[in-house]
Amino acid sequence: KMGNATQKAELGRSTWKLLHTMAAQYPEKPSSEERKALYQFFKLLSRLYPCGECAAHFQLLLKQYPPQTSSRVAASQWACAIHNKVNERLGKEIFDCSNIEEKYNCGCDEEGEKES
Ligand code: FAD
């Protein structure tokens, strides 16, 4: 059982890292195609997430709090809030969402920034 819990936690950390980094990199002014893509990504993730119990809970959360796709800020704040909902359920600390975009900068900004 110890191994299972460790693997589940590891999968969770990796997934949250991806989700928050995606949101931090999402366009400030997304097209309707980009909006649809992000929305569907979260919906599909909630069906395909490898931990079945987690997926079931996440599906319910998404019904209550639909993915926000109108802008980078909206998506990042939504992802932080939904992660906090999971934190709450698991008895974890609530995370401060105010500096979320800086924390999850992936270092892969293609506009303006030259690789050095
Ligand atoms: P994590 O919650 O994995 O967070 C990783 C790091 O992100 C933290 O150390 C912190 O630096 C930062 N962080 C914390 N909160 C936020 C936030 N709100 N916004 C941005 N950054 C933040 N586990 C279960 O046991 N049962 C479940 O039902 C379950 N459902 C899950 C559903 C989804 C969609 C995902 C992605 C994971 C789920 N997990 C579930 C795993 C769980 O959320 C944790 O990932 C795991 O327990 C490891 O927790 P952790 O304390 O290392 O921090």
Side-chain angles (χ1 to χ4, degrees), residues 6-105:
T6 303
Q7 285 166 314
K8 186 156 84 170
E10 186 57 40
L11 175 66
R13 277 189 290 275
S14 308
T15 304
W16 287 123
K17 172 95 173 174
L18 173 65
L19 297 186
H20 293 303
T21 308
M22 276 178 63
Q25 202 62 19
Y26 185 68
E28 278 160 28
K29 294 182 175 169
S31 66
S32 59
E33 281 304 307
E34 287 165 328
R35 294 189 61 173
K36 205 193 292 177
L38 189 67
Y39 185 86
Q40 286 174 348
F41 179 88
F42 282 114
K43 285 297 209 183
L44 290 169
L45 177 81
S46 78
R47 287 168 52 188
L48 297 169
Y49 192 70
C51 157
E53 170 219 346
C54 308
H57 282 293
F58 198 58
Q59 283 171 38
L60 294 177
L61 269 183
L62 290 194
K63 286 206 179 103
Q64 214 178 338
Y65 306 97
Q68 299 299 300
T69 63
S70 62
S71 68
R72 175 179 298 182
V73 170
S76 300
Q77 289 298 317
W78 174 84
C80 190
I82 208 88
H83 189 167
N84 272 335
K85 289 287 170 193
V86 175
N87 288 343
E88 198 182 314
R89 196 170 57 78
L90 299 177
K92 292 180 191 283
E93 258 180 55
I94 298 309
F95 191 84
D96 177 5
C97 294
S98 46
N99 294 320
I100 193 80
E101 287 175 60
E102 286 153 49
K103 179 174 165 71
Y104 291 99
N105 192 331

Side-chain angles (χ1 to χ4, degrees), residues 25 72 105-115:
Q25 202 62 19
R72 175 179 298 182
N105 192 331
C106 69
C108 47
D109 201 345
E110 278 132 26
E111 290 169 68
E113 220 174 275
K114 293 268 184 293
E115 201 80 42

